[in-house]
């Protein structure tokens, strides 16, 4: 399945996030020829979205499709990959999404596979206020954006 699923996992596990992400995922999954009764119901939901209804249909759709909801670090990594894809696809919001990865890393005890994003966020902050930063070797004001994008490509592979 190509439809980004990390935000869906986050929504199901933590009840955080945007219920519209689940609806968008369902729409994308249907376009990829996945099908189930709950997936169709989820894709057809409109605003205003009810938290409980979205969660119920999302969990049911995943079950009907045979997609197990991962737990712990695996779910965090799936969500982080969705954010990294957002950075790649929408570089105009790189700072906002890098901050999300930074906060996700902190919230999950500096999880190893996303720790580089924590360091890059800190490096970028230091670059904003001076020439010196000690978080990411070789990072400067001129190249920090490209370093973040490169790391995102490496991460989603």
């Amino acid at each position: 399945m190509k439809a980004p699923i990390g935000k869906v996992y986050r929504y199901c596990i933590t009840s955080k996030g945007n219920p519209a992400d689940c609806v968008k995922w369902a729409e994308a999954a249907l376009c990829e020829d996945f099908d189930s009764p709950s997936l169709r119901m989820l894709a057809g939901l409109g605003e205003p979205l009810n938290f409980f209804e979205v969660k119920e249909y999302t969990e049911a759709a995943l079950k009907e499709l045979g997609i197990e909801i991962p737990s712990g670090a695996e779910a965090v990594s799936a969500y982080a990959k969705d954010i990294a894809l957002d950075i790649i696809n929408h570089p105009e919001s790189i700072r906002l999404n890098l901050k999300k990865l930074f906060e996700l890393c902190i919230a999950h005890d500096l999880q190893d596979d996303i720790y580089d994003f924590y360091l890059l966020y800190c490096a970028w902050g230091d670059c904003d206020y001076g020439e010196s930063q000690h978080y990411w070797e070789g990072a400067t004001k001129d190249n920090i954006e490209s370093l973040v994008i490169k790391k995102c490509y490496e991460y989603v592979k």
Side-chain angles (χ1 to χ4, degrees):
M1 177 175 293
K2 293 180 182 180
I5 199 165
K7 292 175 184 173
V8 173
Y9 290 155
R10 179 177 186 241
Y11 191 77
C12 289
I13 294 167
T14 66
S15 300
K16 293 181 182 176
N18 186 344
D21 290 334
C22 295
V23 174
K24 288 177 193 170
W25 167 79
E27 292 167 352
L30 286 170
C31 290
E32 291 179 27
D33 293 327
F34 287 86
D35 194 18
S36 84
S38 296
L39 186 68
R40 280 185 253 128
M41 290 298 293
L42 180 60
L45 294 177
E47 296 290 337
L49 295 170
N50 177 287
F51 168 85
F52 298 104
E53 185 178 33
V54 170
K55 188 166 183 173
E56 180 181 332
Y57 281 124
T58 300
E59 289 174 349
L62 291 168
K63 185 175 182 179
E64 291 166 2
L65 295 172
I67 300 171
E68 194 170 323
I69 300 172
S71 61
E74 215 179 313
V76 172
S77 297
Y79 177 52
K81 284 182 182 173
D82 280 0
I83 298 171
L85 280 170
D86 284 346
I87 290 173
I88 292 167
N89 295 326
H90 305 285
E92 68 278 2
S93 60
I94 190 171
R95 293 293 289 261
L96 173 68
N97 284 314
L98 183 59
K99 183 177 182 184
K100 287 180 186 177
L101 288 168
F102 168 80
E103 291 170 346
L104 185 65
C105 187
I106 290 172
H108 293 278
D109 299 321
L110 304 178
Q111 184 171 310
D112 285 345
D113 69 315
I114 57 175
Y115 186 65
D116 282 348
F117 296 111
Y118 170 90
L119 295 173
L120 285 162
Y121 180 84
C122 293
W124 201 330
D126 282 2
C127 286
D128 282 343
Y129 296 105
E131 295 298 316
S132 172
Q133 64 79 26
H134 303 285
Y135 292 98
W136 197 267
E137 188 174 336
T140 66
K141 211 180 270 196
D142 296 327
N143 70 359
I144 190 72
E145 185 172 336
S146 63
L147 290 172
V148 170
I149 292 171
K150 179 182 176 193
K151 179 50 71 177
C152 288
Y153 274 106
E154 291 170 4
Y155 188 70
V156 299
K157 274 189 172 180

